[in-house]
């Protein structure tokens, strides 16, 4: 089945933003992808969660440039994607703020959040349009240093959790929103994303661009696409 790359990117943004906020609502912790900006927003509350997320991702763009030693159109486009993701985060956080709470519902929330996260990140990996900087960073490290995706993803996630815990403790004197769900997602997200991309998306979908802009970005990103396929 042919699936537009542009729609895959949008689906990924919406699913991951929803998953991030559902994680927080469950009480089992935040997703690893947003743990650092969330903790910084607690430490420096003069900017909101979505804005700190944009700043965090911009730092990762700079790291990508340092790793690849080039400044490509894909990095510029990823900044636009980051701003859109920050808007989705603030919108979803406000939308889900009044969800009913109970022990049973919290378990449902965290399970659903994990599933949405897996499929959302998998959309990012297969839309082939420039990703959120956090995913670009992981991809560039994987390609540059020939590391398996699931190994790099797990290592990156655990590093983020440790850094988030330090920031939170220094700012608040305790650790909040870093729970069992955060730790579990760090260990299993890489595995399930690799499984979904290769066993589901690659088997049943062909991701194709619909617009000239997407075609140009795909052309610029083609070497990365080819190299990533061998490593995941």
């Amino acid at each position: 089945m042919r699936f537009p790359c542009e729609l895959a990117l949008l689906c990924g943004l919406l699913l991951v933003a929803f998953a991030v906020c559902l994680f927080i609502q469950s009480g089992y912790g935040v997703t690893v992808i947003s743990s650092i900006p969330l903790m910084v927003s607690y430490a420096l509350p003069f900017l909101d969660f979505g804005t700190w997320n944009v700043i965090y991702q911009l730092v990762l763009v700079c790291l990508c440039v340092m790793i690849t030693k080039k400044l490509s159109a894909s990095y510029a486009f990823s900044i636009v994607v980051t701003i859109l993701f920050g808007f989705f985060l603030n919108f979803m956080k406000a939308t889900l703020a009044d969800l009913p709470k109970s022990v049973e519902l919290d378990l449902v929330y965290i399970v659903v959040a994990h599933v949405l996260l897996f499929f959302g990140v998998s959309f990012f990996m297969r839309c082939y349009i420039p990703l959120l900087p956090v995913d670009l960073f992981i991809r560039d490290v994987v390609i540059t240093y020939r590391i398996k995706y699931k190994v790099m993803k797990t290592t990156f996630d655990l590093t983020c959790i440790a850094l988030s815990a330090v920031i939170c403790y220094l700012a608040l004197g305790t650790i909040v929103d870093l729970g069992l769900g955060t730790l579990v997602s760090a260990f299993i997200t890489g595995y399930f994303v690799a499984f979904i991309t290769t066993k589901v998306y690659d088997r049943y979908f062909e991701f194709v661009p619909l617009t000239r802009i997407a075609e140009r970005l795909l052309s610029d990103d083609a070497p990365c696409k080819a190299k990533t396929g061998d490593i995941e």
Side-chain angles (χ1 to χ4, degrees):
M1 183 184 300
R2 293 168 69 85
F3 200 100
C5 293
E6 298 89 339
L7 181 58
L9 177 61
L10 181 60
C11 288
L13 288 172
L14 289 171
L15 287 175
V16 172
F18 194 94
V20 167
C21 297
L22 197 58
F23 257 82
I24 298 173
Q25 191 66 22
S26 74
Y28 283 94
V30 68
T31 55
V32 177
I33 187 177
S34 295
S35 59
I36 290 179
L38 181 64
M39 297 310 146
V40 175
S41 73
Y42 291 158
L44 303 171
F46 56 85
L47 294 177
D48 60 37
F49 175 39
T51 303
W52 278 118
N53 188 82
V54 171
I55 295 172
Y56 167 63
Q57 303 264 5
L58 290 177
V59 171
L60 290 177
V61 170
C62 295
L63 292 177
C64 288
V65 174
M66 293 172 61
I67 291 171
T68 61
K69 296 180 175 59
K70 66 179 183 179
L71 183 60
S72 66
S74 63
Y75 294 152
F77 184 81
S78 72
I79 294 174
V80 177
V81 174
T82 295
I83 294 172
L84 185 60
F85 183 64
F87 170 79
F88 285 158
L89 278 177
N90 284 337
F91 175 77
M92 295 293 185
K93 196 169 187 289
T95 301
L96 299 178
D98 295 326
L99 281 178
K101 298 285 292 180
S102 71
V103 174
E104 294 78 10
L105 286 175
D106 287 345
L107 287 173
V108 172
Y109 295 157
I110 194 63
V111 171
V112 172
H114 271 95
V115 173
L116 294 178
L117 181 67
F118 300 153
F119 279 91
V121 175
S122 297
F123 269 126
F124 286 153
M125 299 307 297
R126 281 299 177 261
C127 73
Y128 296 129
I129 300 175
L131 315 166
L132 284 169
V134 62
D135 298 297
L136 278 177
F137 175 77
I138 293 173
R139 188 200 66 182
D140 285 348
V141 172
V142 164
I143 292 170
T144 302
Y145 300 106
R146 305 297 299 175
I147 303 171
K148 286 186 177 295
Y149 172 81
K150 55 189 175 184
V151 173
M152 177 56 200
K153 174 66 174 171
T154 301
T155 301
F156 178 82
D157 286 354
L158 292 175
T159 302
C160 286
I161 291 176
L163 184 57
S164 298
V166 171
I167 294 172
C168 189
Y169 186 79
L170 291 177
L172 304 179
T174 186
I175 296 177
V176 297
D177 287 334
L178 289 174
L180 180 61
T182 308
L183 191 61
V184 170
S185 69
F187 281 103
I188 69 175
T189 298
Y191 172 81
F192 279 102
V193 168
F195 177 84
I196 291 170
T197 53
T198 57
K199 303 300 183 182
V200 180
Y201 288 176
D202 288 353
R203 180 173 297 181
Y204 298 106
F205 298 100
E206 178 187 2
F207 292 90
V208 294
L210 293 181
T211 63
R212 287 186 175 274
I213 294 176
E215 289 177 354
R216 175 62 184 274
L217 291 169
L218 281 169
S219 177
D220 291 343
D221 223 27
C224 291
K225 172 183 174 180
K227 292 177 182 178
T228 305
D230 295 334
I231 299 172
E232 289 177 348

